[in-house]
Amino acid sequence: GSSGDCARIGSSGDYAQIGSTGQHAVICCAGNNCIVKAKKGSWITLSEWGFVNGEYKPLCVKTEFVDGERIKEDVFYRLRDGEFIEAA
């Protein structure tokens, strides 16, 4: 997690959970089954992995702006079927 403004965070571990409380953060979480949350005005990037030909491989990497409406602040998201969804 991060609490500073303009933070830049990255993670590549499986099942990582990253939360940012600072303004204007840029967060990348590239491991399998990762989730992220951030404040309005930040950017979040996630990857989606799948089992292909006997091994896990990245299927999609996507970035979204936390606008407070489509992507809500302080809500964890994951990538499923190439789309950001709220993590349960």
Side-chain angles (χ1 to χ4, degrees):
S2 174
S3 60
D5 291 343
C6 302
R8 289 166 301 282
I9 301 169
S11 172
S12 61
D14 292 350
Y15 297 94
Q17 298 179 6
I18 297 178
S20 174
T21 59
Q23 300 296 316
H24 312 295
V26 176
I27 301 168
C28 176
C29 201
N32 185 31
N33 289 312
C34 292
I35 60 175
V36 297
K37 70 176 181 176
K39 292 290 187 188
K40 185 176 175 181
S42 297
W43 289 88
I44 57 176
T45 300
L46 285 168
S47 64
E48 180 177 8
W49 292 69
F51 199 66
V52 179
N53 297 326
E55 63 184 332
Y56 277 104
K57 296 182 179 182
L59 303 175
C60 179
V61 176
K62 192 169 184 177
T63 300
E64 289 285 349
F65 181 69
V66 181
D67 62 2
E69 294 179 22
R70 188 170 155 323
I71 302 294
K72 302 170 192 164
E73 73 175 350
D74 295 328
V75 172
F76 275 107
Y77 284 90
R78 72 176 66 250
L79 204 56
R80 181 169 294 144
D81 298 323
E83 299 296 327
F84 279 86
I85 62 166
E86 291 185 24

